[in-house]
Amino acid sequence: MGDGFNFAQLKKAILGLSKATDWEVAKKEWKLVGITEADEPEQCLCGHFPIIDLCSITNGTTGNTVDVGNVCVKRFLGFRSDLIFASIKRIRKDMTKAIGEDATVFFHQRGVINNWEYGFQQSTMKKRKLSGAQLASRRQINEKVLAAISRRGIA
Ligand SMILES: [Zn+2]
């Protein structure tokens, strides 16, 4: 691949932690469970260094959990973790912006945002003009999301 992301190495590592021996089947055993921005650069399973945007993925069959770089998670496992990281960067820059659909579903599934906030997100996500109360709710959701990230591991 030539850009430091070694698919063969990643595949070998992931297969070693999976039950399936076929890559296409093995991939489906994994799901995204956590999002971390590392303080210190780390190395991806593929050998790429440095990585800051880390995704924790868990294998539902074997119970194994590993951290993989955002790029590999998107490119090789097909999870749109890049959209979640984009949401985080957007709200960190401007707390009046909303996180997107992927981040909303992910943080709701992880228990970071509650059912009321999940509904609120859906009805206001695309709105630029919010009432004072709505803006306060949006900021509160954003703060919870950012707190979940900085805690390093929200699973
Ligand atoms: Zn990688």
Side-chain angles (χ1 to χ4, degrees), residues 23 27 71-82:
W23 173 246
K27 276 198 313 195
V71 171
C72 280
V73 163
K74 179 186 177 217
R75 196 184 285 179
F76 305 128
L77 295 166
F79 304 147
R80 295 308 307 271
S81 52
D82 58 316

Side-chain angles (χ1 to χ4, degrees), residues 3-130:
D3 58 3
F5 299 97
N6 185 332
F7 177 52
Q9 186 176 329
L10 179 87
K11 189 171 162 180
K12 191 167 174 244
I14 294 289
L15 278 173
L17 297 165
S18 305
K19 176 141 179 81
T21 50
D22 176 83
W23 173 246
E24 292 302 322
V25 177
K27 276 198 313 195
K28 300 197 187 304
E29 293 178 358
W30 295 85
K31 67 173 188 220
L32 182 64
V33 296
I35 292 286
T36 304
E37 286 177 320
D39 294 333
E40 298 285 327
E42 296 185 19
Q43 186 173 28
C44 182
L45 283 180
C46 72
H48 183 74
F49 180 90
I51 52 167
I52 296 290
D53 292 343
L54 301 173
C55 298
S56 298
I57 57 171
T58 290
N59 185 305
T61 306
T62 61
N64 290 315
T65 299
V66 283
D67 286 342
V68 178
N70 185 30
V71 171
C72 280
V73 163
K74 179 186 177 217
R75 196 184 285 179
F76 305 128
L77 295 166
F79 304 147
R80 295 308 307 271
S81 52
D82 58 316
L83 295 176
I84 300 175
F85 280 105
S87 278
I88 292 162
K89 284 166 179 49
R90 185 165 67 240
I91 63 171
R92 185 166 280 149
K93 209 183 283 178
D94 182 352
M95 288 294 270
T96 69
K97 298 269 172 67
I99 56 170
E101 292 88 351
D102 292 76
T104 297
V105 170
F106 178 75
F107 289 109
H108 179 250
Q109 280 176 348
R110 304 313 299 165
V112 173
I113 63 175
N114 63 35
N115 286 333
W116 182 85
E117 292 164 335
Y118 191 52
F120 174 84
Q121 270 296 109
Q122 291 167 65
S123 59
T124 59
M125 197 185 291
K126 298 275 193 284
K127 285 190 184 162
R128 295 225 177 138
K129 287 250 181 269
L130 298 182

